[in-house]
Amino acid sequence: MASSAIHMQHVGGRAFNHPASNDAEAEYDRLRDLARAEGDKKRSCFERSQQAYQQGDGAAAKSLSEEGKRHQRQQDAYNKQASEFIFRENNAPGRIAEDTIDLHGQYVEEAEDILEARIRDARARGQTHLHVIVGKGNHSTGRVQKIKPRVEQVCREMGLDFATEENAGRIYVDLTGGNISTPPPLPPQPGTGHGKPSHGKPPHGQPSHGGQQEESGDLVWWIFRKLEKACCVVM
């Protein structure tokens, strides 16, 4: 599992999977900007700490190192808030199918941790598969997909077969330990991208129940509570 002590790679400029309000975009950008500012302060402290150490000023080196660690913790906290915020926005009940997870807007290491937690929960619930939205990389630097390779790596490490779906920005993951010959057709997604719930049949392989919105909300809470410890690791 990735930790926040590892440098996080941004996945591009399109964080939302739906037409987001100006307030939502502003909040996401605000949190990421605050995290970047703390990262700059952290690096400055660590660089000055090294300089002080080389000059024989051990007290100053220690003080600057401690200050840098404080900025590291604050950077982690802001990134965690941004990750949770965008995950709730993109995975709100009624916005995507129950057997789908959307990783838009996540840093690569965040996406890895969220996916691992979701796969474990899905298997515990008896789900047979998971559709993972990773994006096509159109908004990433060089238009290169960054999350998709990490999702594939996680699946290999967990012994799960996977396949790119008809939409190249999606991956179908078999949770049963079986092999995929051909990924199934794309499932219908609820609503119109504005959070309107679907009144059709549940996704293939998923139970039908009236508490979907409550369970989806509980799942979001559970995933991020499981990741809290990982967000506090400092080098």
Side-chain angles (χ1 to χ4, degrees), residues 144-164:
V144 176
Q145 290 178 304
K146 294 184 174 66
I147 287 184
K148 184 178 181 181
R150 186 64 63 89
V151 168
E152 294 172 343
Q153 176 184 328
V154 168
C155 290
R156 283 191 290 268
E157 291 174 350
M158 300 183 77
L160 301 175
D161 199 14
F162 59 89
T164 300

Side-chain angles (χ1 to χ4, degrees), residues 33-53:
D33 287 343
L34 286 170
R36 281 189 283 271
E38 291 294 330
D40 290 341
K41 294 174 184 177
K42 171 196 66 180
R43 284 187 289 275
S44 174
C45 286
F46 287 156
E47 288 173 0
R48 287 183 289 144
S49 175
Q50 285 294 321
Q51 292 171 359
Y53 179 79

Side-chain angles (χ1 to χ4, degrees), residues 17-19 94-95 190-196:
N17 65 0
H18 59 281
R95 184 156 282 153
T192 60
H194 297 278
K196 297 180 181 179

Side-chain angles (χ1 to χ4, degrees), residues 15-190:
F16 294 85
N17 65 0
H18 59 281
S21 68
N22 291 334
D23 289 344
E25 290 192 8
E27 175 62 7
Y28 176 76
D29 290 341
R30 182 185 74 85
L31 292 168
R32 290 302 194 192
D33 287 343
L34 286 170
R36 281 189 283 271
E38 291 294 330
D40 290 341
K41 294 174 184 177
K42 171 196 66 180
R43 284 187 289 275
S44 174
C45 286
F46 287 156
E47 288 173 0
R48 287 183 289 144
S49 175
Q50 285 294 321
Q51 292 171 359
Y53 179 79
Q54 292 170 0
Q55 294 169 0
D57 191 343
K62 182 178 180 180
S63 176
L64 286 165
S65 177
E66 291 301 320
E67 183 180 351
K69 291 177 181 179
R70 288 193 294 271
H71 287 302
Q72 170 77 70
R73 289 191 291 270
Q74 192 60 58
Q75 179 187 18
D76 293 343
Y78 283 133
N79 273 326
K80 179 179 180 294
Q81 291 177 52
S83 173
E84 183 169 353
F85 176 79
I86 194 63
F87 187 86
R88 288 183 181 277
E89 282 286 316
N90 287 337
N91 292 273
R95 184 156 282 153
I96 61 173
E98 190 179 2
D99 62 347
T100 302
I101 183 172
D102 192 326
L103 298 176
H104 274 103
Q106 302 293 337
Y107 287 162
V108 174
E109 288 76 13
E110 294 167 346
E112 177 181 353
D113 288 343
I114 291 170
L115 179 62
E116 288 181 355
R118 177 58 184 275
I119 286 176
R120 291 191 181 96
D121 178 76
R123 299 183 83 177
R125 290 169 179 255
Q127 291 183 210
T128 60
H129 65 273
L130 186 66
H131 299 274
V132 185
I133 301 175
V134 296
K136 297 181 180 179
N138 292 337
H139 301 277
S140 298
T141 304
R143 300 173 70 87
V144 176
Q145 290 178 304
K146 294 184 174 66
I147 287 184
K148 184 178 181 181
R150 186 64 63 89
V151 168
E152 294 172 343
Q153 176 184 328
V154 168
C155 290
R156 283 191 290 268
E157 291 174 350
M158 300 183 77
L160 301 175
D161 199 14
F162 59 89
T164 300
E165 298 185 348
E166 180 182 347
N167 180 332
R170 299 171 58 103
I171 294 178
Y172 177 86
V173 182
D174 186 300
L175 301 179
T176 68
N179 295 321
I180 302 172
S181 55
T182 304
L186 295 178
Q189 297 297 307

